[in-house]
Amino acid sequence: MTTPIGSRKIRITEMHPEDWPAVEDIYRQGIATGNATFETESPAWERWNANHHPHSRVVARAEQQILAWAALSPVSARRVYAGVAEVSIYVAGAARGKGIGKALLTALIEQSERNSIWTLQAGIFPENKTSIAVHKSCGFREVGLRERIGKLGVIWRDVLLLERRSQIALGGEAA
């Protein structure tokens, strides 16, 4: 899938293991913002790979450069939650504010529906207003606020919970 963004053509492609160095660099940039994740360091590829679905992993590329990535991880090993996944989406600092995140999230949603995921959830720090807006523009809705759910360093942080229910994966049933 190719998406024109500004004067650049951005291709959304499947993520491959050889993309990990660029993906990890973008993840580290997100960690450094202090508003993307509770994580303080990037895992090794083997741990990251084991914790994410083998499907629904995408990157945004301009020529050979990876600008952003998104992937899904299962929320539980229980069979009843097989169609529920958590969204991770990270955009390189230099590529933020250009619509790449929305293009990537749209592609991730399409992949999730092809893989029978009926609910996508995202936990976002309330201060990350851009990420919240991108998710809402792609059909996510707020379902709650987890107050002081965890510490980042010495500071307690809240997490806004958002979800998107797929009418496609639900077979057209009301969410």
Side-chain angles (χ1 to χ4, degrees):
M1 167 179 168
T2 302
T3 304
I5 297 187
S7 62
R8 301 175 88 179
K9 285 189 179 177
I10 306 299
R11 288 183 308 120
I12 308 293
T13 66
E14 185 178 326
M15 181 190 298
H16 299 286
E18 59 270 18
D19 296 330
W20 177 244
V23 166
E24 183 180 29
D25 181 59
I26 293 167
Y27 185 51
R28 285 184 177 149
Q29 290 177 42
I31 290 169
T33 69
N35 277 328
T37 179
F38 278 108
E39 297 297 334
T40 56
E41 58 187 46
S42 175
W45 163 253
E46 294 76 18
R47 188 172 124 226
W48 187 95
N49 186 46
N51 289 333
H52 289 80
H53 278 299
H55 60 77
S56 305
R57 300 174 177 191
V58 291
V59 294
R61 301 177 192 272
E63 291 83 39
Q64 298 305 312
Q65 181 184 13
I66 294 176
L67 304 174
W69 64 270
L72 297 181
S73 52
V75 299
S76 174
R78 294 179 60 197
R79 186 169 167 75
V80 69
Y81 296 113
V84 182
E86 183 171 2
V87 172
S88 294
I89 182 166
Y90 289 83
V91 179
R96 292 183 192 137
K98 298 180 170 121
I100 296 169
K102 183 173 181 175
L104 199 60
L105 186 54
T106 299
L108 186 67
I109 290 167
E110 291 170 6
Q111 280 201 7
S112 74
E113 290 175 331
R114 284 195 302 271
N115 286 282
S116 302
I117 301 295
W118 60 79
T119 300
L120 293 177
Q121 67 181 40
I124 304 172
F125 293 135
E127 297 82 2
N128 194 342
K129 300 208 182 295
T130 300
S131 185
I132 293 166
V134 167
H135 282 78
K136 285 183 174 181
S137 75
C138 290
F140 283 75
R141 66 183 178 93
E142 291 182 32
V143 293
L145 178 70
R146 300 182 82 184
E147 296 177 358
R148 296 171 52 107
I149 193 67
K151 279 186 175 181
L152 184 55
V154 298
I155 304 198
W156 285 101
R157 300 292 298 268
D158 297 342
V159 172
L160 184 64
L161 296 177
L162 295 102
E163 77 171 16
R164 181 185 186 280
R165 305 280 298 199
S166 169
Q167 293 304 305
I168 294 169
L170 286 168
E173 296 176 29

